[in-house]
Amino acid sequence: MDIDGYWALLEGARAHTEDLDERAEWLVEQLARRTPAEIIEFELRHAEVRKAADTWPMWGAAMLLNDGWCSDDVFWYFQAWVIGLGRQVYERATADPETLLDAPEVRRLASGGDDAEPPEWEILDYTANYAYERVTGEEHGLWRALDEHGINLPTSPAPADDGIEGGQAEHARHLPRLCAAFPLAAPA
């Protein structure tokens, strides 16, 4: 599966429903119609795509969208959520996190509506494994298959040092539009 195939599946899930759990189940169903090798390729593309969001500026954005707090896990699941916003939004946001404000989901969060879901999509990280298990009958078989091929994918964020001291809070300060949209979460 190439990168376009990966994004086609994500966009198909997005078109299918707004509910993130239903999207994940749809992805599992679609992947379970493929070979184990194709499911592995989906997982590899997922890690490849995610890498662009594993930056300190994105962590700063995640902190703002999460009421001023963002652990490793929260940031990891935030990355998956941004992927779920679609290819165009994702590619723009990884180049400039301030463009997240163009996404309706982020505007909904900024408005503080009671129906706004937290900006995370943890289950996306397990869809390939669930599909692999359906196809092969092997519990956690995807991880064993990757290990057998010497593939060790990241399981938590590890942004590269970009020269700005202070981590996520300092990076959030460099996102004035997001700070304005999420004033209660803006760093002091």
Side-chain angles (χ1 to χ4, degrees):
M1 175 178 301
D2 65 10
I3 199 73
D4 292 329
Y6 170 85
W7 279 113
L9 281 171
L10 267 290
E11 296 290 351
R14 185 172 171 77
H16 178 72
T17 181
E18 288 188 19
D19 182 270
L20 294 177
D21 290 336
E22 290 176 15
R23 280 187 201 177
E25 182 54 37
W26 185 89
L27 281 168
V28 170
E29 289 173 10
Q30 298 304 308
L31 288 168
R33 296 177 182 163
R34 297 170 184 256
T35 67
E38 289 173 305
I39 297 169
I40 289 170
E41 285 295 316
F42 177 87
E43 185 67 14
L44 295 174
R45 294 301 74 77
H46 182 61
E48 177 185 325
V49 166
R50 166 181 250 133
K51 187 174 182 175
D54 197 16
T55 66
W56 282 110
M58 284 295 282
W59 205 327
M63 186 195 81
L64 291 169
L65 272 66
N66 281 286
D67 295 325
W69 181 83
C70 189
S71 67
D72 289 4
D73 286 347
V74 170
F75 181 46
W76 193 248
Y77 305 141
F78 173 81
Q79 292 172 8
W81 181 78
V82 176
I83 290 169
L85 297 177
R87 187 176 194 171
Q88 183 179 17
V89 170
Y90 180 81
E91 289 177 348
R92 290 182 67 221
T94 56
D96 177 6
E98 294 262 74
T99 65
L100 282 167
L101 284 169
D102 299 333
E105 294 88 344
V106 176
R107 288 193 304 272
R108 204 168 22 252
L109 279 172
S111 73
D114 291 337
D115 64 338
E117 293 288 326
E120 57 185 51
W121 193 16
E122 177 181 1
I123 197 165
L124 176 60
D125 292 335
Y126 307 112
T127 57
N129 186 55
Y130 294 152
Y132 196 91
E133 187 174 321
R134 282 191 194 176
V135 170
T136 66
E138 297 175 56
E139 188 174 344
H140 306 295
L142 176 65
W143 312 125
R144 277 194 291 282
L146 291 169
D147 190 49
E148 288 169 3
H149 288 90
I151 299 168
N152 186 17
L153 298 177
T155 58
S156 63
D161 181 10
D162 64 1
I164 296 177
E165 300 283 328
Q168 57 184 288
E170 185 58 32
H171 281 83
R173 285 187 183 89
H174 294 272
L175 302 169
R177 288 180 56 221
L178 283 170
C179 283
F182 295 89
L184 296 177

PDB file of all heavy atoms in Angstrom, residues 43-69:
ATOM      1  N   GLU A  43       0.130  -0.167   8.308  1.00  0.00           N
ATOM      2  CA  GLU A  43       0.759   0.221   9.570  1.00  0.00           C
ATOM      3  C   GLU A  43       2.055   0.995   9.336  1.00  0.00           C
ATOM      4  O   GLU A  43       2.344   1.978  10.029  1.00  0.00           O
ATOM      5  CB  GLU A  43       1.015  -1.010  10.434  1.00  0.00           C
ATOM      6  CG  GLU A  43       1.562  -0.697  11.805  1.00  0.00           C
ATOM      7  CD  GLU A  43       0.576   0.035  12.707  1.00  0.00           C
ATOM      8  OE1 GLU A  43      -0.637   0.101  12.424  1.00  0.00           O
ATOM      9  OE2 GLU A  43       1.036   0.563  13.726  1.00  0.00           O
ATOM     10  N   LEU A  44       2.826   0.576   8.350  1.00  0.00           N
ATOM     11  CA  LEU A  44       4.068   1.291   8.021  1.00  0.00           C
ATOM     12  C   LEU A  44       3.783   2.691   7.503  1.00  0.00           C
ATOM     13  O   LEU A  44       4.471   3.654   7.855  1.00  0.00           O
ATOM     14  CB  LEU A  44       4.888   0.494   7.009  1.00  0.00           C
ATOM     15  CG  LEU A  44       5.425  -0.845   7.504  1.00  0.00           C
ATOM     16  CD1 LEU A  44       6.103  -1.600   6.358  1.00  0.00           C
ATOM     17  CD2 LEU A  44       6.357  -0.672   8.677  1.00  0.00           C
ATOM     18  N   ARG A  45       2.755   2.827   6.666  1.00  0.00           N
ATOM     19  CA  ARG A  45       2.379   4.150   6.163  1.00  0.00           C
ATOM     20  C   ARG A  45       1.879   5.030   7.307  1.00  0.00           C
ATOM     21  O   ARG A  45       2.145   6.225   7.349  1.00  0.00           O
ATOM     22  CB  ARG A  45       1.296   4.063   5.075  1.00  0.00           C
ATOM     23  CG  ARG A  45       1.677   3.387   3.771  1.00  0.00           C
ATOM     24  CD  ARG A  45       2.837   3.973   3.003  1.00  0.00           C
ATOM     25  NE  ARG A  45       4.132   3.710   3.547  1.00  0.00           N
ATOM     26  CZ  ARG A  45       4.825   2.541   3.445  1.00  0.00           C
ATOM     27  NH1 ARG A  45       4.319   1.512   2.822  1.00  0.00           N
ATOM     28  NH2 ARG A  45       6.026   2.418   3.989  1.00  0.00           N
ATOM     29  N   HIS A  46       1.146   4.426   8.235  1.00  0.00           N
ATOM     30  CA  HIS A  46       0.640   5.190   9.383  1.00  0.00           C
ATOM     31  C   HIS A  46       1.811   5.785  10.173  1.00  0.00           C
ATOM     32  O   HIS A  46       1.792   6.971  10.523  1.00  0.00           O
ATOM     33  CB  HIS A  46      -0.227   4.291  10.271  1.00  0.00           C
ATOM     34  CG  HIS A  46      -0.826   4.995  11.437  1.00  0.00           C
ATOM     35  ND1 HIS A  46      -1.689   6.066  11.314  1.00  0.00           N
ATOM     36  CD2 HIS A  46      -0.675   4.789  12.771  1.00  0.00           C
ATOM     37  CE1 HIS A  46      -2.043   6.488  12.514  1.00  0.00           C
ATOM     38  NE2 HIS A  46      -1.440   5.733  13.419  1.00  0.00           N
ATOM     39  N   ALA A  47       2.816   4.986  10.435  1.00  0.00           N
ATOM     40  CA  ALA A  47       3.997   5.479  11.161  1.00  0.00           C
ATOM     41  C   ALA A  47       4.718   6.556  10.355  1.00  0.00           C
ATOM     42  O   ALA A  47       5.184   7.558  10.913  1.00  0.00           O
ATOM     43  CB  ALA A  47       4.942   4.323  11.473  1.00  0.00           C
ATOM     44  N   GLU A  48       4.782   6.359   9.057  1.00  0.00           N
ATOM     45  CA  GLU A  48       5.443   7.335   8.176  1.00  0.00           C
ATOM     46  C   GLU A  48       4.705   8.670   8.198  1.00  0.00           C
ATOM     47  O   GLU A  48       5.318   9.730   8.313  1.00  0.00           O
ATOM     48  CB  GLU A  48       5.470   6.749   6.760  1.00  0.00           C
ATOM     49  CG  GLU A  48       6.047   7.613   5.698  1.00  0.00           C
ATOM     50  CD  GLU A  48       5.906   6.967   4.319  1.00  0.00           C
ATOM     51  OE1 GLU A  48       5.993   5.729   4.205  1.00  0.00           O
ATOM     52  OE2 GLU A  48       5.689   7.712   3.348  1.00  0.00           O
ATOM     53  N   VAL A  49       3.383   8.615   8.076  1.00  0.00           N
ATOM     54  CA  VAL A  49       2.579   9.842   8.079  1.00  0.00           C
ATOM     55  C   VAL A  49       2.680  10.531   9.431  1.00  0.00           C
ATOM     56  O   VAL A  49       2.878  11.745   9.513  1.00  0.00           O
ATOM     57  CB  VAL A  49       1.109   9.516   7.716  1.00  0.00           C
ATOM     58  CG1 VAL A  49       0.187  10.682   8.030  1.00  0.00           C
ATOM     59  CG2 VAL A  49       1.001   9.141   6.240  1.00  0.00           C
ATOM     60  N   ARG A  50       2.565   9.764  10.496  1.00  0.00           N
ATOM     61  CA  ARG A  50       2.575  10.327  11.843  1.00  0.00           C
ATOM     62  C   ARG A  50       3.864  11.107  12.127  1.00  0.00           C
ATOM     63  O   ARG A  50       3.856  12.103  12.846  1.00  0.00           O
ATOM     64  CB  ARG A  50       2.402   9.211  12.863  1.00  0.00           C
ATOM     65  CG  ARG A  50       2.740   9.665  14.259  1.00  0.00           C
ATOM     66  CD  ARG A  50       2.586   8.566  15.261  1.00  0.00           C
ATOM     67  NE  ARG A  50       1.431   8.949  16.054  1.00  0.00           N
ATOM     68  CZ  ARG A  50       0.446   8.167  16.381  1.00  0.00           C
ATOM     69  NH1 ARG A  50       0.450   6.918  16.014  1.00  0.00           N
ATOM     70  NH2 ARG A  50      -0.543   8.603  17.097  1.00  0.00           N
ATOM     71  N   LYS A  51       4.959  10.663  11.551  1.00  0.00           N
ATOM     72  CA  LYS A  51       6.258  11.265  11.839  1.00  0.00           C
ATOM     73  C   LYS A  51       6.259  12.775  11.583  1.00  0.00           C
ATOM     74  O   LYS A  51       6.876  13.536  12.319  1.00  0.00           O
ATOM     75  CB  LYS A  51       7.344  10.584  11.006  1.00  0.00           C
ATOM     76  CG  LYS A  51       8.728  11.021  11.357  1.00  0.00           C
ATOM     77  CD  LYS A  51       9.773  10.222  10.614  1.00  0.00           C
ATOM     78  CE  LYS A  51      11.142  10.678  11.044  1.00  0.00           C
ATOM     79  NZ  LYS A  51      12.193   9.884  10.470  1.00  0.00           N
ATOM     80  N   ALA A  52       5.543  13.224  10.566  1.00  0.00           N
ATOM     81  CA  ALA A  52       5.506  14.659  10.254  1.00  0.00           C
ATOM     82  C   ALA A  52       4.833  15.476  11.360  1.00  0.00           C
ATOM     83  O   ALA A  52       5.078  16.675  11.478  1.00  0.00           O
ATOM     84  CB  ALA A  52       4.798  14.891   8.922  1.00  0.00           C
ATOM     85  N   ALA A  53       3.990  14.843  12.168  1.00  0.00           N
ATOM     86  CA  ALA A  53       3.302  15.554  13.251  1.00  0.00           C
ATOM     87  C   ALA A  53       4.061  15.483  14.563  1.00  0.00           C
ATOM     88  O   ALA A  53       3.658  16.114  15.541  1.00  0.00           O
ATOM     89  CB  ALA A  53       1.903  14.972  13.446  1.00  0.00           C
ATOM     90  N   ASP A  54       5.143  14.744  14.595  1.00  0.00           N
ATOM     91  CA  ASP A  54       5.896  14.560  15.838  1.00  0.00           C
ATOM     92  C   ASP A  54       6.936  15.676  15.985  1.00  0.00           C
ATOM     93  O   ASP A  54       8.144  15.442  15.902  1.00  0.00           O
ATOM     94  CB  ASP A  54       6.543  13.176  15.858  1.00  0.00           C
ATOM     95  CG  ASP A  54       6.980  12.766  17.241  1.00  0.00           C
ATOM     96  OD1 ASP A  54       6.524  13.382  18.227  1.00  0.00           O
ATOM     97  OD2 ASP A  54       7.787  11.823  17.345  1.00  0.00           O
ATOM     98  N   THR A  55       6.426  16.885  16.179  1.00  0.00           N
ATOM     99  CA  THR A  55       7.281  18.072  16.300  1.00  0.00           C
ATOM    100  C   THR A  55       6.879  18.859  17.538  1.00  0.00           C
ATOM    101  O   THR A  55       5.746  18.738  18.033  1.00  0.00           O
ATOM    102  CB  THR A  55       7.140  18.987  15.069  1.00  0.00           C
ATOM    103  OG1 THR A  55       5.806  19.532  15.041  1.00  0.00           O
ATOM    104  CG2 THR A  55       7.437  18.240  13.770  1.00  0.00           C
ATOM    105  N   TRP A  56       7.801  19.686  18.020  1.00  0.00           N
ATOM    106  CA  TRP A  56       7.480  20.532  19.165  1.00  0.00           C
ATOM    107  C   TRP A  56       6.377  21.547  18.852  1.00  0.00           C
ATOM    108  O   TRP A  56       5.504  21.785  19.707  1.00  0.00           O
ATOM    109  CB  TRP A  56       8.730  21.206  19.697  1.00  0.00           C
ATOM    110  CG  TRP A  56       9.559  20.257  20.515  1.00  0.00           C
ATOM    111  CD1 TRP A  56      10.772  19.729  20.192  1.00  0.00           C
ATOM    112  CD2 TRP A  56       9.211  19.707  21.783  1.00  0.00           C
ATOM    113  NE1 TRP A  56      11.200  18.879  21.179  1.00  0.00           N
ATOM    114  CE2 TRP A  56      10.257  18.855  22.183  1.00  0.00           C
ATOM    115  CE3 TRP A  56       8.109  19.847  22.634  1.00  0.00           C
ATOM    116  CZ2 TRP A  56      10.247  18.153  23.378  1.00  0.00           C
ATOM    117  CZ3 TRP A  56       8.098  19.149  23.830  1.00  0.00           C
ATOM    118  CH2 TRP A  56       9.153  18.323  24.191  1.00  0.00           C
ATOM    119  N   PRO A  57       6.373  22.183  17.677  1.00  0.00           N
ATOM    120  CA  PRO A  57       5.257  23.092  17.401  1.00  0.00           C
ATOM    121  C   PRO A  57       3.887  22.391  17.446  1.00  0.00           C
ATOM    122  O   PRO A  57       2.918  22.950  17.969  1.00  0.00           O
ATOM    123  CB  PRO A  57       5.569  23.634  16.003  1.00  0.00           C
ATOM    124  CG  PRO A  57       7.067  23.566  15.923  1.00  0.00           C
ATOM    125  CD  PRO A  57       7.426  22.297  16.651  1.00  0.00           C
ATOM    126  N   MET A  58       3.822  21.153  16.946  1.00  0.00           N
ATOM    127  CA  MET A  58       2.552  20.420  17.017  1.00  0.00           C
ATOM    128  C   MET A  58       2.224  20.080  18.467  1.00  0.00           C
ATOM    129  O   MET A  58       1.059  20.079  18.866  1.00  0.00           O
ATOM    130  CB  MET A  58       2.606  19.158  16.159  1.00  0.00           C
ATOM    131  CG  MET A  58       2.480  19.431  14.668  1.00  0.00           C
ATOM    132  SD  MET A  58       0.874  20.112  14.186  1.00  0.00           S
ATOM    133  CE  MET A  58      -0.111  18.619  14.218  1.00  0.00           C
ATOM    134  N   TRP A  59       3.239  19.784  19.265  1.00  0.00           N
ATOM    135  CA  TRP A  59       2.990  19.499  20.678  1.00  0.00           C
ATOM    136  C   TRP A  59       2.447  20.751  21.363  1.00  0.00           C
ATOM    137  O   TRP A  59       1.546  20.679  22.208  1.00  0.00           O
ATOM    138  CB  TRP A  59       4.250  19.004  21.366  1.00  0.00           C
ATOM    139  CG  TRP A  59       3.996  18.150  22.581  1.00  0.00           C
ATOM    140  CD1 TRP A  59       2.953  18.258  23.466  1.00  0.00           C
ATOM    141  CD2 TRP A  59       4.790  17.071  23.047  1.00  0.00           C
ATOM    142  NE1 TRP A  59       3.062  17.319  24.457  1.00  0.00           N
ATOM    143  CE2 TRP A  59       4.180  16.571  24.230  1.00  0.00           C
ATOM    144  CE3 TRP A  59       5.964  16.477  22.604  1.00  0.00           C
ATOM    145  CZ2 TRP A  59       4.706  15.512  24.957  1.00  0.00           C
ATOM    146  CZ3 TRP A  59       6.477  15.424  23.332  1.00  0.00           C
ATOM    147  CH2 TRP A  59       5.862  14.943  24.480  1.00  0.00           C
ATOM    148  N   GLY A  60       2.975  21.911  20.998  1.00  0.00           N
ATOM    149  CA  GLY A  60       2.436  23.156  21.533  1.00  0.00           C
ATOM    150  C   GLY A  60       0.973  23.337  21.156  1.00  0.00           C
ATOM    151  O   GLY A  60       0.151  23.741  21.989  1.00  0.00           O
ATOM    152  N   ALA A  61       0.642  23.021  19.912  1.00  0.00           N
ATOM    153  CA  ALA A  61      -0.754  23.113  19.468  1.00  0.00           C
ATOM    154  C   ALA A  61      -1.624  22.130  20.253  1.00  0.00           C
ATOM    155  O   ALA A  61      -2.734  22.471  20.684  1.00  0.00           O
ATOM    156  CB  ALA A  61      -0.848  22.837  17.965  1.00  0.00           C
ATOM    157  N   ALA A  62      -1.123  20.926  20.446  1.00  0.00           N
ATOM    158  CA  ALA A  62      -1.878  19.922  21.202  1.00  0.00           C
ATOM    159  C   ALA A  62      -2.132  20.401  22.622  1.00  0.00           C
ATOM    160  O   ALA A  62      -3.227  20.208  23.171  1.00  0.00           O
ATOM    161  CB  ALA A  62      -1.119  18.596  21.200  1.00  0.00           C
ATOM    162  N   MET A  63      -1.127  21.032  23.223  1.00  0.00           N
ATOM    163  CA  MET A  63      -1.287  21.548  24.575  1.00  0.00           C
ATOM    164  C   MET A  63      -2.416  22.584  24.621  1.00  0.00           C
ATOM    165  O   MET A  63      -3.270  22.549  25.507  1.00  0.00           O
ATOM    166  CB  MET A  63       0.013  22.171  25.066  1.00  0.00           C
ATOM    167  CG  MET A  63      -0.057  22.587  26.526  1.00  0.00           C
ATOM    168  SD  MET A  63       1.273  23.685  27.000  1.00  0.00           S
ATOM    169  CE  MET A  63       0.635  25.230  26.405  1.00  0.00           C
ATOM    170  N   LEU A  64      -2.441  23.480  23.662  1.00  0.00           N
ATOM    171  CA  LEU A  64      -3.482  24.503  23.636  1.00  0.00           C
ATOM    172  C   LEU A  64      -4.864  23.888  23.451  1.00  0.00           C
ATOM    173  O   LEU A  64      -5.815  24.271  24.139  1.00  0.00           O
ATOM    174  CB  LEU A  64      -3.197  25.516  22.519  1.00  0.00           C
ATOM    175  CG  LEU A  64      -1.989  26.409  22.763  1.00  0.00           C
ATOM    176  CD1 LEU A  64      -1.633  27.180  21.501  1.00  0.00           C
ATOM    177  CD2 LEU A  64      -2.246  27.345  23.931  1.00  0.00           C
ATOM    178  N   LEU A  65      -4.993  22.929  22.546  1.00  0.00           N
ATOM    179  CA  LEU A  65      -6.285  22.307  22.276  1.00  0.00           C
ATOM    180  C   LEU A  65      -6.737  21.391  23.403  1.00  0.00           C
ATOM    181  O   LEU A  65      -7.894  20.983  23.450  1.00  0.00           O
ATOM    182  CB  LEU A  65      -6.257  21.542  20.958  1.00  0.00           C
ATOM    183  CG  LEU A  65      -6.600  22.351  19.712  1.00  0.00           C
ATOM    184  CD1 LEU A  65      -5.574  23.415  19.408  1.00  0.00           C
ATOM    185  CD2 LEU A  65      -6.796  21.453  18.519  1.00  0.00           C
ATOM    186  N   ASN A  66      -5.816  21.050  24.307  1.00  0.00           N
ATOM    187  CA  ASN A  66      -6.135  20.171  25.433  1.00  0.00           C
ATOM    188  C   ASN A  66      -6.115  20.929  26.764  1.00  0.00           C
ATOM    189  O   ASN A  66      -5.641  20.419  27.772  1.00  0.00           O
ATOM    190  CB  ASN A  66      -5.162  18.987  25.475  1.00  0.00           C
ATOM    191  CG  ASN A  66      -5.524  17.926  24.481  1.00  0.00           C
ATOM    192  OD1 ASN A  66      -6.483  17.187  24.686  1.00  0.00           O
ATOM    193  ND2 ASN A  66      -4.771  17.850  23.386  1.00  0.00           N
ATOM    194  N   ASP A  67      -6.609  22.150  26.739  1.00  0.00           N
ATOM    195  CA  ASP A  67      -6.771  22.950  27.950  1.00  0.00           C
ATOM    196  C   ASP A  67      -5.473  23.180  28.726  1.00  0.00           C
ATOM    197  O   ASP A  67      -5.470  23.226  29.956  1.00  0.00           O
ATOM    198  CB  ASP A  67      -7.815  22.328  28.882  1.00  0.00           C
ATOM    199  CG  ASP A  67      -9.201  22.335  28.268  1.00  0.00           C
ATOM    200  OD1 ASP A  67      -9.527  23.304  27.548  1.00  0.00           O
ATOM    201  OD2 ASP A  67      -9.950  21.368  28.485  1.00  0.00           O
ATOM    202  N   GLY A  68      -4.367  23.286  28.009  1.00  0.00           N
ATOM    203  CA  GLY A  68      -3.118  23.653  28.653  1.00  0.00           C
ATOM    204  C   GLY A  68      -2.298  22.515  29.208  1.00  0.00           C
ATOM    205  O   GLY A  68      -1.296  22.743  29.884  1.00  0.00           O
ATOM    206  N   TRP A  69      -2.698  21.282  28.933  1.00  0.00           N
ATOM    207  CA  TRP A  69      -1.953  20.130  29.444  1.00  0.00           C
ATOM    208  C   TRP A  69      -1.864  19.080  28.346  1.00  0.00           C
ATOM    209  O   TRP A  69      -2.846  18.792  27.664  1.00  0.00           O
ATOM    210  CB  TRP A  69      -2.663  19.539  30.653  1.00  0.00           C
ATOM    211  CG  TRP A  69      -1.947  18.370  31.236  1.00  0.00           C
ATOM    212  CD1 TRP A  69      -0.906  18.416  32.112  1.00  0.00           C
ATOM    213  CD2 TRP A  69      -2.194  16.993  30.988  1.00  0.00           C
ATOM    214  NE1 TRP A  69      -0.490  17.149  32.416  1.00  0.00           N
ATOM    215  CE2 TRP A  69      -1.279  16.247  31.733  1.00  0.00           C
ATOM    216  CE3 TRP A  69      -3.107  16.304  30.192  1.00  0.00           C
ATOM    217  CZ2 TRP A  69      -1.232  14.865  31.731  1.00  0.00           C
ATOM    218  CZ3 TRP A  69      -3.063  14.927  30.179  1.00  0.00           C
ATOM    219  CH2 TRP A  69      -2.138  14.222  30.950  1.00  0.00           C
TER     220      TRP A  69
END
